[in-house]
């Protein structure tokens, strides 16, 4: 049956934070799921037996390999028109001056549809096969993001942003309207019965949402078994303000804990300035963290101690956080996470840096775990969805030129070097787009054409 496909070549995924799994062999995909994995010898003997005569065969060359699709655990689709602009103010001023005025424009679903279509395509081009998105306050506008993700077959968690505390931009709803709109949004997304897209409850942060709203939102999350996402402890002024308006709470984390939104289906972005006590509370509740290094430096929020968060048994994935972050690519987030953590180490915090293998883990299976999607994606294992990127190190126009290597091209070391180079200097030109275009998560019968091989 068309739609059934066998890849022959090299496959790499991260099993543990410190352990990459490199395989040379075959990987069989049937109707979008990985159904068999084996060695080249096993493949040859099965072919001799005529077992797979009706499968499409894709033989990767020695400069190509498969990795799991990237997971962006935190980004703001409506903020893409501002990417690279207005980064001269710290968080609260930046929101007021640049972000809320832009987001208000998404009351127009036509504008929303135009932007969101481009955003989803941009992320897929960069290898982000799964994204956890903030939309805006608007029901219709955010529904356009759902439609774009479904249209382009991106796996997505999508939240209609909730806010009920007054701001200068008049960009908020009263509590009852907001709760009704969120429930309507959740029901509408669930109506699509699409395996790829889920609604996510999205209180913007404790500066924009009071306890009454957050209580109501946590009830909706419980009722529909939804994930929750928000921001926590990103910037010192933000933390001060949150404690000022919640005088009975000792910490930012406690503010969220009071409204029961902290649980093992909750992901919090940033977590730059958490105390040990707050980290223990998050770990205890099973909350995961989206580490957004680009945004944290661009908005001068701080250097996030990502190693300390990991060591506190909190599941961590990476986020681009556009447009606080200035880059839509998870490859950039990987590099920025290495740089930020190395800056902390260079300033004297021992053993805080992440190496490239660890950052690759966070970008793939770490993100999948942080979004509770690791039963479906993140690694190459039998039974999982085939959600992969085909990497070609020497693709046309690649930043990486071919040089004869002294490493044996048939060795694991050689393959490791290819991945190391992709992680450090690769970009979308090294991601073979045909594989993405033919829809990796949901290969439908007759919809998968053979990938041209070099
Ligand atoms: N905190 C609340 N809203 C936002 C946002 O849009 N971006 C960032 N970086 N932080 C936030
Ligand atoms: Fe954010």
């Amino acid at each position: 049956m068309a739609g059934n496909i066998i890849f022959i070549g090299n496959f790499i995924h991260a099993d543990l934070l410190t352990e990459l799994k490199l395989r040379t062999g075959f990987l069989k995909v049937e109707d979008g799921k990985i159904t068999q994995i084996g060695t080249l010898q096993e493949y040859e003997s099965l072919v001799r037996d005529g077992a797979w005569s009706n499968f499409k065969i894709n033989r990767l060359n020695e400069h190509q390999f498969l990795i799991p699709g990237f997971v962006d655990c935190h980004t703001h689709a409506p903020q893409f028109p501002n990417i690279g602009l207005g980064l001269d103010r710290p968080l609260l001023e930046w929101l007021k001056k640049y972000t809320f005025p832009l987001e208000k424009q998404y009351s127009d679903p036509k504008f929303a549809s135009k932007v969101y279509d481009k955003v989803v395509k941009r992320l897929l081009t960069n290898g982000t096969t799964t994204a956890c998105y903030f939309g805006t306050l608007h029901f219709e506008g955010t529904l356009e993001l759902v439609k774009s993700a479904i249209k382009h077959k991106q796996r997505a968690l999508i939240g209609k942003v909730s806010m009920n505390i007054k701001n200068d931009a008049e960009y908020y709803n009263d509590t009852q309207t907001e709760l009704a709109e969120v429930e309507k949004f959740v029901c509408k997304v669930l109506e699509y019965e699409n395996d790829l897209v889920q609604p996510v409850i999205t209180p913007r942060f404790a500066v924009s949402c009071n306890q009454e709203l957050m209580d109501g939102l946590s009830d909706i999350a419980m009722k529909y078994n939804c994930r929750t996402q928000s921001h926590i402890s990103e910037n010192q002024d933000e933390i001060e303000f949150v404690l000022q308006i919640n005088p009975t709470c000792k910490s930012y984390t406690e503010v969220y804990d009071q409204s029961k939104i902290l649980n093992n289906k909750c992901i919090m972005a940033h977590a730059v300035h958490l105390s040990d006590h707050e980290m223990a509370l998050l770990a205890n509740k099973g909350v995961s963290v989206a580490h957004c290094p680009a945004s944290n430096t661009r908005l001068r929020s701080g250097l996030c101690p990502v190693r300390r968060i990991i060591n506190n048994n909190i599941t961590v994935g990476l986020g681009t956080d556009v447009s606080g972050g200035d880059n839509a690519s998870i490859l950039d987030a990987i590099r920025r996470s290495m740089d930020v953590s190395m800056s902390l180490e260079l300033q004297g915090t021992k053993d805080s840096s992440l190496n490239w293998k660890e950052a690759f883990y966070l970008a793939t299976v770490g993100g999948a775990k942080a979004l509770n999607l690791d039963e479906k994606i993140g690694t190459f294992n039998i039974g999982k969805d085939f959600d992969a990127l085909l990497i070609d190190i020497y693709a046309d126009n690649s930043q990486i030129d071919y040089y004869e290597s002294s490493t044996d091209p048939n060795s694991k070391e050689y393959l490791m070097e290819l991945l190391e180079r992709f992680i450090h200097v690769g970009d979308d030109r090294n991601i073979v787009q045909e594989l993405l275009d033919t829809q990796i998560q949901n290969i439908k019968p007759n919809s998968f054409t053979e990938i041209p091989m070099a």
Side-chain angles (χ1 to χ4, degrees):
M1 182 167 63
N4 292 343
I5 187 160
I6 292 170
F7 290 93
I8 300 162
N10 295 315
F11 320 108
I12 311 175
H13 71 233
D15 250 349
L16 301 168
L17 187 62
T18 50
E19 193 175 306
L20 291 186
K21 193 153 205 159
L22 292 78
R23 272 206 190 101
T24 302
F26 78 92
L27 190 149
K28 186 167 82 169
V29 179
E30 290 176 273
D31 296 328
K33 295 237 184 276
I34 300 170
T35 54
Q36 199 173 358
I37 295 171
T39 63
L40 288 179
Q41 289 79 355
E42 285 165 341
Y43 172 75
E44 298 301 343
S45 75
L46 284 159
V47 168
R48 268 197 305 277
D49 297 344
W52 297 335
S53 49
N54 55 352
F55 277 74
K56 283 194 180 293
I57 308 293
N58 275 294
R59 206 175 273 274
L60 278 53
N61 71 30
E62 70 270 29
H63 306 137
Q64 295 177 324
F65 53 92
L66 290 177
I67 59 171
F70 289 137
V71 180
D72 189 340
C73 290
H74 181 88
T75 195
H76 297 260
Q79 295 176 19
F80 272 66
N82 269 355
I83 194 167
L85 291 177
L87 291 161
D88 59 333
R89 305 285 166 109
L91 176 67
L92 299 179
E93 291 176 40
W94 169 83
L95 285 170
K96 180 172 158 180
K97 180 161 185 203
Y98 303 107
T99 307
F100 291 170
L102 171 61
E103 288 193 12
K104 277 190 79 171
Q105 294 181 43
Y106 291 77
S107 57
D108 173 5
K110 280 207 192 86
F111 174 67
S113 163
K114 241 202 243 164
V115 172
Y116 290 153
D117 230 38
K118 283 193 204 163
V119 170
V120 170
K121 281 196 273 186
R122 164 64 52 87
L123 262 61
L124 281 168
T125 302
N126 281 289
T128 300
T129 56
T130 300
C132 187
Y133 288 111
F134 275 56
T136 60
L137 193 67
H138 314 97
F139 168 83
E140 296 277 351
T142 306
L143 218 48
E144 293 300 325
L145 180 54
V146 173
K147 290 180 200 163
S148 291
I150 291 174
K151 177 170 151 199
H152 298 292
K153 295 186 181 153
Q154 184 181 47
R155 191 183 305 275
L157 278 79
I158 298 175
K160 191 204 93 61
V161 171
S162 294
M163 307 164 75
N164 74 337
I165 294 180
K166 190 169 166 46
N167 55 56
D168 290 350
E170 296 287 319
Y171 178 49
Y172 63 97
N173 279 327
D174 69 74
T175 311
Q176 291 317 315
T177 306
E178 182 50 33
L179 291 172
E181 291 276 287
V182 169
E183 187 156 10
K184 191 167 82 167
F185 178 78
V186 167
C187 292
K188 186 77 193 168
V189 179
L190 294 176
E191 257 174 39
Y192 281 102
E193 288 185 4
N194 186 290
D195 187 41
L196 290 175
V197 176
Q198 297 173 39
V200 46
I201 302 300
T202 306
R204 181 170 210 122
F205 63 160
V207 173
S208 304
C209 304
N210 67 15
Q211 286 290 345
E212 186 193 4
L213 177 59
M214 289 196 286
D215 283 346
L217 290 173
S218 63
D219 289 344
I220 296 174
M222 213 92 79
K223 179 171 171 188
Y224 294 94
N225 195 22
C226 287
R227 296 195 52 78
T228 304
Q229 62 176 346
S230 191
H231 297 89
I232 196 168
S233 198
E234 176 177 2
N235 161 292
Q236 294 290 4
D237 293 339
E238 170 209 18
I239 298 166
E240 262 174 46
F241 184 79
V242 167
L243 293 178
Q244 206 180 312
I245 60 173
N246 293 277
T248 59
C249 294
K250 285 196 217 47
S251 70
Y252 200 149
T253 306
E254 208 179 289
V255 173
Y256 286 139
D257 193 31
Q258 277 197 346
S259 49
K260 300 184 208 59
I261 66 171
L262 301 183
N263 58 39
N264 63 3
K265 296 193 83 179
C266 173
I267 183 160
M268 286 285 170
H270 304 296
V272 178
H273 305 285
L274 295 179
S275 66
D276 287 344
H277 185 259
E278 288 180 280
M279 285 204 197
L281 181 53
L282 291 182
N284 189 263
K285 298 278 178 179
V287 174
S288 49
V289 162
H291 172 45
C292 306
S295 163
N296 293 336
T297 38
R298 277 287 164 269
L299 293 174
R300 282 155 283 167
S301 302
L303 301 176
C304 178
V306 62
R307 172 77 71 193
R308 209 179 113 226
I309 298 176
I310 294 167
N311 288 348
N312 273 277
N313 296 317
I314 293 171
T315 303
V316 176
L318 296 180
T320 56
D321 195 27
V322 171
S323 66
D326 55 8
N327 196 304
S329 165
I330 285 292
L331 275 171
D332 177 77
I334 287 176
R335 294 165 197 157
R336 305 283 265 269
S337 74
M338 289 158 63
D339 288 350
V340 161
S341 60
M342 179 55 84
S343 298
L344 283 168
E345 186 158 320
L346 293 172
Q347 285 179 352
T349 314
K350 250 180 109 194
D351 300 326
S352 57
S353 64
L354 293 180
N355 65 38
W356 67 267
K357 294 175 200 166
E358 293 170 318
F360 173 69
Y361 171 94
L362 298 184
T364 53
V365 67
K369 283 177 192 286
L371 299 177
N372 306 116
L373 289 170
D374 52 315
E375 281 189 6
K376 279 180 184 276
I377 58 164
T379 56
F380 298 124
N381 288 110
I382 291 169
K384 285 201 182 189
D385 289 5
F386 179 65
D387 182 321
L389 306 179
L390 174 51
I391 307 303
D392 187 343
I393 282 297
Y394 302 125
D396 286 350
N397 303 318
S398 170
Q399 291 228 69
I400 306 165
D401 290 325
Y402 177 78
Y403 295 104
E404 194 85 36
S405 168
S406 55
T407 312
D408 173 5
N410 294 313
S411 65
K412 295 255 187 221
E413 290 72 31
Y414 184 80
L415 184 51
M416 191 77 114
E417 285 177 6
L418 295 185
L419 178 63
E420 183 179 0
R421 298 177 113 197
F422 173 65
I423 293 298
H424 285 100
V425 277
D427 57 34
D428 58 305
R429 289 167 292 191
N430 301 104
I431 299 173
V432 176
Q433 297 294 319
E434 284 87 343
L435 182 60
L436 284 165
D437 290 347
T438 40
Q439 191 26 229
I440 39 196
Q441 293 101 344
N442 244 4
I443 303 169
K444 297 254 168 44
N446 302 318
S447 70
F448 205 106
T449 50
E450 184 129 12
I451 300 160
M453 288 296 154

